[in-house]
Amino acid sequence: MRFLYAIVSRLSLPVFACYLLYRSITESVYRERKRERFGFIPTEIRTGSVWFHTVSAGEAIAAIPVIEYVLQNQVSERVLITTTTPTGYKAMETRLGSRIDLCYVPYDVPSCVKRFLNRTQPKALFLMETELWPNLVNQAAQGDVPVYLLNARLSEKSASGYARMGVLALSMLKNIRMVACQYQDTAARFKDLGLPNEKVVVTGNVKFDLNDQDARLPEDLNDLKELKDTGKLVWIAGSTHNPEEEVVLDAHKSVLGQFPDAKLILAPRHTKRAHEILSMSASRGLQACLLSDLDLSKEVIIVDRMGILFPLYQCAMIAFVGGSLQHTGGHNPIEPAYFGLPILMGPNRQNFAEVCSRFVDRDCLFRVNNAEDVAEKVLTFHQDSATRARCFENARAVVHENQGASERVCSLMDRWFDEIKLAED
């Protein structure tokens, strides 16, 4: 299986190149630093750093407290961060700036990974959440680079996929020093896959460790927040995918039938789809604008700026979290809960199953299946201030009760750095 994966990954290089070309055509940001994805790293990237890898903006923001801890407490260490998406890259660049080295992670092709490792020569690799790539993990370990997995989550579906990989998955897991899991269900799945008990620890979910600095709304959007403060019905649909936008737009049309001055903030997972959603709105007779050209008289405001969804949640009184009405598996409900919003999600929540269960148990996350459900819930919460207030208290309580994972991970990091330094000696 390992041999087969190595062959397939090598043959996939032209596919990756074509995919990157396509993304570069559709999204100009993918034209930047393309060579890094093939392991060609700029000369300004230093060697011998501790290496953190995150995927996109959500994982990047969640990792920042841990990275900050390393920067402040391991001052002799250089830090290299890689991301997969431009949103993750931008989040790290904005928050950490010149204190770190930053580039894109190479594709999981043997030649690309080898080129990257030979060039960067990292001391250790810290992966966030689910970024387990066989060539990356195995080649790092073979080069005596210790590999750790932080804030790990593993859904039942993903665990089944790894199980089908057989010896390939097992050999990769054997090359991981320690897995810090969000919850017991993830820990149990890693153990079922063959990871020894002593390599698994439960630390909680660092995504709960949000703070007011991350929640700060850009000044140019203060008028949008003040709109909600007037008492008007303002709701938000975050991280939506196709065809979820059609659902929320249809729901908003129903809402407008009772509250003509209601506003919907619609934030697609991929901002490149903003103009497509403008057309969807127009086809339904809805007046819409882009956030970059904000017009508060419009009925729908479509977010076309990356990296600001979290602070935007404070501009609304009810939130629908996307990726949950189709098969993506749902996105992060913690961010709207931080502001105490009642949360609406579809039935597909496997990416955040444990997180969602905590909000469901406290009666502040509600299932919706279609536009009618969404409209009914939005109207109910707008008209029932007592229920909305109860949701506010419960959602905030869940967030508060689950904070502290970053501190637990940082305590582990101290031990791991001692091991890394001992190995160097």
Side-chain angles (χ1 to χ4, degrees):
M1 182 64 75
R2 288 182 63 179
F3 177 75
L4 179 61
Y5 182 81
I7 294 298
V8 171
S9 61
R10 284 182 171 91
L11 293 175
S12 67
L13 189 56
V15 177
F16 287 131
C18 291
Y19 172 77
L20 185 58
L21 177 62
Y22 167 74
R23 294 302 295 265
S24 299
I25 293 171
T26 57
E27 296 178 74
S28 60
V29 69
Y30 276 89
R31 299 170 198 165
E32 301 170 7
R33 309 177 74 112
K34 294 190 297 293
R35 286 170 52 84
E36 294 175 6
R37 299 182 186 272
F38 300 95
F40 295 100
I41 306 305
T43 56
E44 62 266 21
I45 301 292
R46 297 166 292 181
T47 61
S49 299
V50 292
W51 171 19
F52 287 84
H53 175 59
T54 66
V55 185
S56 192
E59 293 78 15
I61 293 170
I64 284 174
V66 178
I67 297 170
E68 285 280 11
Y69 181 84
V70 172
L71 290 170
Q72 294 171 18
N73 293 276
Q74 302 289 338
V75 293
S76 63
E77 301 291 354
R78 294 184 290 273
V79 174
L80 167 65
I81 298 173
T82 58
T83 73
T84 302
T85 68
T87 56
Y89 189 99
K90 184 65 175 178
M92 287 300 187
E93 185 178 46
T94 301
R95 305 298 179 88
L96 299 174
S98 61
R99 292 184 292 159
I100 57 155
D101 288 331
L102 178 62
C103 64
Y104 286 112
V105 73
Y107 291 126
D108 199 47
V109 176
S111 59
C112 300
V113 173
K114 184 178 181 180
R115 189 179 297 118
F116 178 91
L117 291 172
N118 287 342
R119 168 65 182 81
T120 58
Q121 301 175 30
K123 288 184 178 181
L125 169 57
F126 299 98
L127 301 168
M128 290 296 294
E129 296 208 9
T130 58
E131 280 299 277
L132 292 175
W133 294 99
N135 288 322
L136 186 66
V137 171
N138 292 336
Q139 286 196 34
Q142 288 164 14
D144 294 324
V145 178
V147 181
Y148 305 87
L149 183 60
L150 309 181
N151 206 44
R153 61 180 174 89
L154 187 64
S155 67
E156 187 175 346
K157 180 180 179 181
S158 295
S160 297
Y162 283 124
R164 288 192 295 271
M165 293 166 64
V167 68
L168 176 62
L170 185 59
S171 65
M172 177 177 62
L173 291 176
K174 284 182 177 179
N175 283 324
I176 297 176
R177 295 283 184 93
M178 184 70 74
V179 177
C181 301
Q182 294 181 9
Y183 300 112
Q184 288 289 351
D185 64 337
T186 286
R189 288 172 189 138
F190 272 112
K191 292 175 185 178
D192 289 343
L193 288 171
L195 201 65
N197 289 349
E198 63 271 17
K199 285 190 172 185
V200 182
V201 62
V202 177
T203 54
N205 188 345
V206 301
K207 285 189 173 179
F208 277 102
D209 294 332
L210 298 166
N211 57 63
D212 291 340
Q213 180 179 351
D214 295 330
R216 188 175 298 121
L217 189 71
E219 289 186 7
D220 63 318
L221 298 179
N222 281 337
D223 288 347
L224 188 58
K225 184 174 183 295
E226 290 172 2
L227 189 67
K228 183 200 74 170
D229 294 339
T230 64
K232 288 185 178 180
L233 196 172
V234 182
W235 65 293
I236 185 169
S239 295
T240 58
H241 295 254
N242 183 36
E244 290 175 323
E245 290 89 8
E246 296 181 13
V247 173
V248 296
L249 288 171
D250 288 342
H252 191 57
K253 194 163 185 179
S254 297
V255 168
L256 288 168
Q258 294 195 40
F259 294 92
D261 60 353
K263 308 293 180 184
L264 166 63
I265 303 169
L266 206 171
R269 182 69 174 177
H270 303 291
T271 55
K272 66 175 183 176
R273 299 185 56 242
H275 287 278
E276 173 190 345
I277 299 167
L278 270 177
S279 298
M280 285 185 196
S281 303
S283 69
R284 287 165 170 77
L286 295 170
Q287 300 177 27
C289 69
L290 298 176
L291 186 67
S292 59
D293 189 23
L294 183 59
D295 181 349
L296 294 179
S297 69
K298 301 299 185 184
E299 298 162 329
V300 181
I301 298 161
I302 301 166
V303 179
D304 60 342
R305 288 166 56 177
M306 295 191 296
I308 63 166
L309 176 58
F310 173 39
L312 273 177
Y313 278 119
Q314 68 191 286
C315 299
M317 60 177 63
I318 305 132
F320 167 79
V321 177
S324 58
L325 282 176
Q326 29 83 279
H327 300 295
T328 298
H331 291 296
N332 184 3
I334 301 171
E335 294 182 345
Y338 182 85
F339 298 107
L341 274 62
I343 305 161
L344 312 181
M345 292 186 74
N348 298 303
R349 314 170 190 169
Q350 57 268 28
N351 289 347
F352 288 87
E354 279 286 334
V355 172
C356 289
S357 68
R358 282 159 168 73
F359 292 114
V360 170
D361 290 345
R362 296 293 282 272
D363 203 26
C364 51
L365 189 154
F366 306 87
R367 174 170 171 165
V368 291
N369 296 302
N370 49 47
E372 292 75 18
D373 289 349
V374 174
E376 185 270 327
K377 287 287 192 297
V378 169
L379 290 168
T380 296
F381 283 118
H382 176 62
Q383 295 170 302
D384 188 347
S385 59
T387 301
R388 199 166 67 244
R390 174 175 51 79
C391 286
F392 176 89
E393 296 297 332
N394 290 349
R396 292 281 293 171
V398 172
V399 173
H400 177 74
E401 291 163 6
N402 285 274
Q403 289 181 329
S406 295
E407 292 182 11
R408 290 186 284 273
V409 170
C410 289
S411 295
L412 286 173
M413 298 284 286
D414 287 336
R415 192 181 84 198
W416 296 340
F417 271 102
D418 287 341
E419 294 173 356
I420 293 166
K421 291 174 182 176
L422 185 62
E424 288 177 340
D425 296 338

Short mmCIF file of all heavy atoms in Angstrom, two decimals, residues 278-320:
data_model
loop_
_atom_site.label_atom_id
_atom_site.label_comp_id
_atom_site.label_asym_id
_atom_site.label_seq_id
_atom_site.Cartn_x
_atom_site.Cartn_y
_atom_site.Cartn_z
N LEU A 278 -24.60 37.12 -6.04
CA LEU A 278 -25.32 38.34 -6.45
C LEU A 278 -26.37 38.02 -7.50
O LEU A 278 -27.51 38.51 -7.43
CB LEU A 278 -24.33 39.36 -7.00
CG LEU A 278 -23.67 40.35 -6.06
CD1 LEU A 278 -22.67 41.22 -6.82
CD2 LEU A 278 -24.70 41.23 -5.35
N SER A 279 -26.00 37.18 -8.45
CA SER A 279 -26.94 36.79 -9.51
C SER A 279 -28.08 35.96 -8.94
O SER A 279 -29.24 36.12 -9.35
CB SER A 279 -26.21 36.00 -10.60
OG SER A 279 -25.23 36.79 -11.22
N MET A 280 -27.77 35.07 -8.02
CA MET A 280 -28.82 34.28 -7.36
C MET A 280 -29.83 35.19 -6.68
O MET A 280 -31.04 34.96 -6.74
CB MET A 280 -28.21 33.36 -6.28
CG MET A 280 -27.47 32.16 -6.77
SD MET A 280 -26.98 31.16 -5.33
CE MET A 280 -25.74 30.12 -6.09
N SER A 281 -29.32 36.22 -6.00
CA SER A 281 -30.19 37.16 -5.30
C SER A 281 -31.09 37.90 -6.28
O SER A 281 -32.31 38.02 -6.07
CB SER A 281 -29.35 38.16 -4.49
OG SER A 281 -28.51 37.50 -3.57
N ALA A 282 -30.49 38.39 -7.35
CA ALA A 282 -31.26 39.15 -8.35
C ALA A 282 -32.35 38.29 -8.98
O ALA A 282 -33.46 38.77 -9.23
CB ALA A 282 -30.32 39.69 -9.42
N SER A 283 -32.05 37.00 -9.21
CA SER A 283 -33.03 36.12 -9.83
C SER A 283 -34.24 35.88 -8.93
O SER A 283 -35.30 35.46 -9.40
CB SER A 283 -32.39 34.78 -10.19
OG SER A 283 -32.06 34.03 -9.03
N ARG A 284 -34.07 36.16 -7.64
CA ARG A 284 -35.17 36.01 -6.68
C ARG A 284 -35.83 37.35 -6.36
O ARG A 284 -36.68 37.44 -5.48
CB ARG A 284 -34.66 35.37 -5.39
CG ARG A 284 -34.35 33.89 -5.55
CD ARG A 284 -33.51 33.35 -4.41
NE ARG A 284 -33.43 31.90 -4.47
CZ ARG A 284 -32.66 31.22 -5.32
NH1 ARG A 284 -31.91 31.88 -6.19
NH2 ARG A 284 -32.66 29.90 -5.31
N GLY A 285 -35.41 38.40 -7.05
CA GLY A 285 -35.96 39.72 -6.80
C GLY A 285 -35.44 40.36 -5.54
O GLY A 285 -36.05 41.30 -5.02
N LEU A 286 -34.31 39.87 -5.02
CA LEU A 286 -33.72 40.42 -3.81
C LEU A 286 -32.67 41.46 -4.16
O LEU A 286 -31.87 41.27 -5.08
CB LEU A 286 -33.08 39.31 -2.97
CG LEU A 286 -34.03 38.25 -2.40
CD1 LEU A 286 -33.24 37.08 -1.82
CD2 LEU A 286 -34.93 38.87 -1.33
N GLN A 287 -32.66 42.55 -3.44
CA GLN A 287 -31.67 43.59 -3.64
C GLN A 287 -30.43 43.23 -2.82
O GLN A 287 -30.52 43.05 -1.61
CB GLN A 287 -32.21 44.94 -3.19
CG GLN A 287 -33.45 45.39 -3.96
CD GLN A 287 -34.00 46.70 -3.43
OE1 GLN A 287 -33.26 47.51 -2.88
NE2 GLN A 287 -35.29 46.92 -3.60
N ALA A 288 -29.29 43.14 -3.48
CA ALA A 288 -28.07 42.68 -2.80
C ALA A 288 -26.90 43.58 -3.16
O ALA A 288 -26.88 44.26 -4.20
CB ALA A 288 -27.76 41.24 -3.19
N CYS A 289 -25.90 43.58 -2.29
CA CYS A 289 -24.65 44.29 -2.53
C CYS A 289 -23.50 43.46 -1.99
O CYS A 289 -23.70 42.54 -1.19
CB CYS A 289 -24.66 45.67 -1.88
SG CYS A 289 -24.62 45.61 -0.06
N LEU A 290 -22.30 43.79 -2.42
CA LEU A 290 -21.11 43.18 -1.87
C LEU A 290 -20.68 43.96 -0.63
O LEU A 290 -20.89 45.16 -0.53
CB LEU A 290 -19.98 43.18 -2.89
CG LEU A 290 -20.22 42.39 -4.19
CD1 LEU A 290 -19.04 42.56 -5.13
CD2 LEU A 290 -20.47 40.92 -3.89
N LEU A 291 -20.05 43.26 0.30
CA LEU A 291 -19.56 43.92 1.51
C LEU A 291 -18.53 44.99 1.15
O LEU A 291 -18.45 46.03 1.82
CB LEU A 291 -18.94 42.89 2.46
CG LEU A 291 -18.50 43.40 3.83
CD1 LEU A 291 -19.71 43.83 4.66
CD2 LEU A 291 -17.70 42.35 4.58
N SER A 292 -17.74 44.74 0.10
CA SER A 292 -16.74 45.72 -0.31
C SER A 292 -17.36 46.98 -0.88
O SER A 292 -16.69 48.00 -1.04
CB SER A 292 -15.80 45.09 -1.35
OG SER A 292 -16.54 44.66 -2.49
N ASP A 293 -18.65 46.93 -1.21
CA ASP A 293 -19.38 48.09 -1.71
C ASP A 293 -20.67 48.21 -0.89
O ASP A 293 -21.77 48.21 -1.43
CB ASP A 293 -19.68 47.92 -3.20
CG ASP A 293 -20.25 49.18 -3.84
OD1 ASP A 293 -20.01 50.28 -3.29
OD2 ASP A 293 -20.94 49.06 -4.86
N LEU A 294 -20.50 48.31 0.42
CA LEU A 294 -21.60 48.19 1.37
C LEU A 294 -22.66 49.26 1.17
O LEU A 294 -22.37 50.45 1.10
CB LEU A 294 -21.05 48.26 2.80
CG LEU A 294 -22.05 48.09 3.94
CD1 LEU A 294 -22.75 46.73 3.86
CD2 LEU A 294 -21.35 48.24 5.29
N ASP A 295 -23.89 48.80 1.07
CA ASP A 295 -25.06 49.67 0.96
C ASP A 295 -26.11 49.12 1.92
O ASP A 295 -26.74 48.11 1.66
CB ASP A 295 -25.58 49.67 -0.48
CG ASP A 295 -26.79 50.60 -0.67
OD1 ASP A 295 -27.35 51.07 0.34
OD2 ASP A 295 -27.18 50.82 -1.83
N LEU A 296 -26.29 49.80 3.05
CA LEU A 296 -27.16 49.29 4.10
C LEU A 296 -28.63 49.31 3.74
O LEU A 296 -29.46 48.79 4.47
CB LEU A 296 -26.93 50.08 5.40
CG LEU A 296 -25.54 49.92 6.03
CD1 LEU A 296 -25.44 50.76 7.29
CD2 LEU A 296 -25.26 48.47 6.35
N SER A 297 -28.97 49.89 2.59
CA SER A 297 -30.36 49.86 2.16
C SER A 297 -30.71 48.54 1.48
O SER A 297 -31.89 48.23 1.27
CB SER A 297 -30.64 51.02 1.19
OG SER A 297 -29.97 50.81 -0.05
N LYS A 298 -29.69 47.74 1.14
CA LYS A 298 -29.93 46.48 0.44
C LYS A 298 -30.43 45.41 1.41
O LYS A 298 -30.20 45.47 2.61
CB LYS A 298 -28.66 46.00 -0.25
CG LYS A 298 -28.08 46.97 -1.27
CD LYS A 298 -29.05 47.25 -2.40
CE LYS A 298 -28.41 48.14 -3.47
NZ LYS A 298 -29.36 48.50 -4.55
N GLU A 299 -31.10 44.41 0.85
CA GLU A 299 -31.70 43.35 1.67
C GLU A 299 -30.71 42.22 1.98
O GLU A 299 -30.85 41.53 2.99
CB GLU A 299 -32.92 42.77 0.93
CG GLU A 299 -34.01 43.79 0.71
CD GLU A 299 -34.99 43.37 -0.37
OE1 GLU A 299 -34.58 42.66 -1.31
OE2 GLU A 299 -36.18 43.78 -0.28
N VAL A 300 -29.72 42.04 1.11
CA VAL A 300 -28.72 40.99 1.29
C VAL A 300 -27.33 41.61 1.12
O VAL A 300 -27.07 42.33 0.16
CB VAL A 300 -28.90 39.86 0.25
CG1 VAL A 300 -27.85 38.76 0.46
CG2 VAL A 300 -30.31 39.27 0.33
N ILE A 301 -26.45 41.31 2.06
CA ILE A 301 -25.07 41.79 2.01
C ILE A 301 -24.17 40.57 1.86
O ILE A 301 -24.13 39.70 2.74
CB ILE A 301 -24.71 42.58 3.29
CG1 ILE A 301 -25.61 43.81 3.40
CG2 ILE A 301 -23.24 42.98 3.28
CD1 ILE A 301 -25.68 44.40 4.79
N ILE A 302 -23.48 40.48 0.74
CA ILE A 302 -22.68 39.30 0.41
C ILE A 302 -21.21 39.59 0.72
O ILE A 302 -20.63 40.55 0.22
CB ILE A 302 -22.86 38.92 -1.07
CG1 ILE A 302 -24.34 38.64 -1.34
CG2 ILE A 302 -22.00 37.71 -1.42
CD1 ILE A 302 -24.68 38.58 -2.81
N VAL A 303 -20.63 38.75 1.55
CA VAL A 303 -19.27 38.96 2.03
C VAL A 303 -18.27 38.51 0.96
O VAL A 303 -18.25 37.34 0.57
CB VAL A 303 -19.02 38.20 3.34
CG1 VAL A 303 -17.59 38.41 3.83
CG2 VAL A 303 -20.02 38.65 4.40
N ASP A 304 -17.46 39.45 0.50
CA ASP A 304 -16.44 39.15 -0.51
C ASP A 304 -15.04 39.47 0.00
O ASP A 304 -14.10 39.60 -0.78
CB ASP A 304 -16.73 39.90 -1.81
CG ASP A 304 -16.74 41.42 -1.62
OD1 ASP A 304 -16.88 41.89 -0.47
OD2 ASP A 304 -16.61 42.15 -2.63
N ARG A 305 -14.90 39.55 1.32
CA ARG A 305 -13.60 39.77 1.95
C ARG A 305 -13.23 38.54 2.77
O ARG A 305 -14.06 37.99 3.49
CB ARG A 305 -13.63 41.01 2.85
CG ARG A 305 -13.69 42.30 2.10
CD ARG A 305 -14.06 43.49 2.98
NE ARG A 305 -13.18 43.66 4.12
CZ ARG A 305 -13.30 44.68 4.98
NH1 ARG A 305 -14.26 45.58 4.82
NH2 ARG A 305 -12.47 44.79 5.99
N MET A 306 -11.98 38.12 2.69
CA MET A 306 -11.55 36.93 3.39
C MET A 306 -11.14 37.26 4.82
O MET A 306 -10.68 38.35 5.13
CB MET A 306 -10.36 36.28 2.67
CG MET A 306 -10.70 35.74 1.29
SD MET A 306 -9.38 34.71 0.59
CE MET A 306 -8.05 35.90 0.43
N GLY A 307 -11.33 36.29 5.70
CA GLY A 307 -10.77 36.38 7.05
C GLY A 307 -11.52 37.24 8.04
O GLY A 307 -10.97 37.57 9.10
N ILE A 308 -12.77 37.61 7.75
CA ILE A 308 -13.48 38.48 8.69
C ILE A 308 -14.80 37.88 9.16
O ILE A 308 -15.59 38.57 9.80
CB ILE A 308 -13.73 39.88 8.09
CG1 ILE A 308 -14.63 39.80 6.86
CG2 ILE A 308 -12.43 40.58 7.76
CD1 ILE A 308 -15.17 41.15 6.46
N LEU A 309 -15.05 36.61 8.86
CA LEU A 309 -16.33 36.03 9.25
C LEU A 309 -16.54 36.06 10.75
O LEU A 309 -17.62 36.42 11.23
CB LEU A 309 -16.44 34.59 8.73
CG LEU A 309 -17.71 33.84 9.16
CD1 LEU A 309 -18.97 34.57 8.73
CD2 LEU A 309 -17.70 32.41 8.61
N PHE A 310 -15.52 35.68 11.52
CA PHE A 310 -15.69 35.64 12.98
C PHE A 310 -16.18 36.97 13.54
O PHE A 310 -17.22 37.02 14.21
CB PHE A 310 -14.39 35.17 13.63
CG PHE A 310 -14.40 35.23 15.13
CD1 PHE A 310 -15.54 34.90 15.87
CD2 PHE A 310 -13.27 35.62 15.83
CE1 PHE A 310 -15.54 34.96 17.27
CE2 PHE A 310 -13.26 35.68 17.21
CZ PHE A 310 -14.40 35.36 17.94
N PRO A 311 -15.50 38.09 13.31
CA PRO A 311 -16.03 39.35 13.86
C PRO A 311 -17.38 39.76 13.26
O PRO A 311 -18.15 40.46 13.92
CB PRO A 311 -14.94 40.38 13.53
CG PRO A 311 -14.11 39.77 12.48
CD PRO A 311 -14.18 38.30 12.69
N LEU A 312 -17.68 39.30 12.04
CA LEU A 312 -18.97 39.66 11.44
C LEU A 312 -20.15 39.06 12.19
O LEU A 312 -21.26 39.60 12.14
CB LEU A 312 -19.02 39.21 9.98
CG LEU A 312 -18.45 40.17 8.93
CD1 LEU A 312 -18.52 39.53 7.56
CD2 LEU A 312 -19.19 41.50 8.95
N TYR A 313 -19.94 37.94 12.89
CA TYR A 313 -21.06 37.32 13.61
C TYR A 313 -21.68 38.27 14.63
O TYR A 313 -22.87 38.18 14.93
CB TYR A 313 -20.59 36.04 14.30
CG TYR A 313 -20.55 34.83 13.40
CD1 TYR A 313 -19.35 34.16 13.16
CD2 TYR A 313 -21.70 34.35 12.79
CE1 TYR A 313 -19.31 33.03 12.33
CE2 TYR A 313 -21.66 33.23 11.96
CZ TYR A 313 -20.46 32.58 11.74
OH TYR A 313 -20.42 31.47 10.92
N GLN A 314 -20.90 39.21 15.18
CA GLN A 314 -21.44 40.13 16.18
C GLN A 314 -22.41 41.13 15.57
O GLN A 314 -23.11 41.85 16.31
CB GLN A 314 -20.32 40.86 16.90
CG GLN A 314 -19.54 41.83 16.04
CD GLN A 314 -18.29 42.32 16.72
OE1 GLN A 314 -18.36 43.14 17.65
NE2 GLN A 314 -17.14 41.81 16.30
N CYS A 315 -22.48 41.19 14.25
CA CYS A 315 -23.39 42.12 13.57
C CYS A 315 -24.79 41.54 13.40
O CYS A 315 -25.67 42.21 12.85
CB CYS A 315 -22.83 42.50 12.21
SG CYS A 315 -21.24 43.34 12.26
N ALA A 316 -24.99 40.29 13.84
CA ALA A 316 -26.28 39.63 13.63
C ALA A 316 -26.85 39.14 14.95
O ALA A 316 -26.17 39.11 15.97
CB ALA A 316 -26.11 38.46 12.66
N MET A 317 -28.13 38.73 14.90
CA MET A 317 -28.77 38.20 16.11
C MET A 317 -29.04 36.70 16.01
O MET A 317 -29.34 36.06 17.02
CB MET A 317 -30.08 38.95 16.39
CG MET A 317 -31.11 38.86 15.27
SD MET A 317 -32.66 39.69 15.71
CE MET A 317 -32.11 41.38 15.90
N ILE A 318 -28.94 36.12 14.82
CA ILE A 318 -29.14 34.69 14.60
C ILE A 318 -28.14 34.25 13.54
O ILE A 318 -27.86 35.01 12.59
CB ILE A 318 -30.58 34.37 14.12
CG1 ILE A 318 -31.62 34.93 15.09
CG2 ILE A 318 -30.78 32.87 13.91
CD1 ILE A 318 -32.72 35.70 14.42
N ALA A 319 -27.61 33.03 13.66
CA ALA A 319 -26.62 32.55 12.70
C ALA A 319 -26.99 31.18 12.15
O ALA A 319 -27.38 30.28 12.90
CB ALA A 319 -25.25 32.48 13.35
N PHE A 320 -26.84 31.05 10.84
CA PHE A 320 -26.86 29.73 10.20
C PHE A 320 -25.42 29.40 9.84
O PHE A 320 -24.71 30.22 9.25
CB PHE A 320 -27.71 29.74 8.93
CG PHE A 320 -27.52 28.51 8.07
CD1 PHE A 320 -28.15 27.32 8.40
CD2 PHE A 320 -26.68 28.54 6.96
CE1 PHE A 320 -27.95 26.18 7.63
CE2 PHE A 320 -26.48 27.41 6.18
CZ PHE A 320 -27.12 26.23 6.52
#
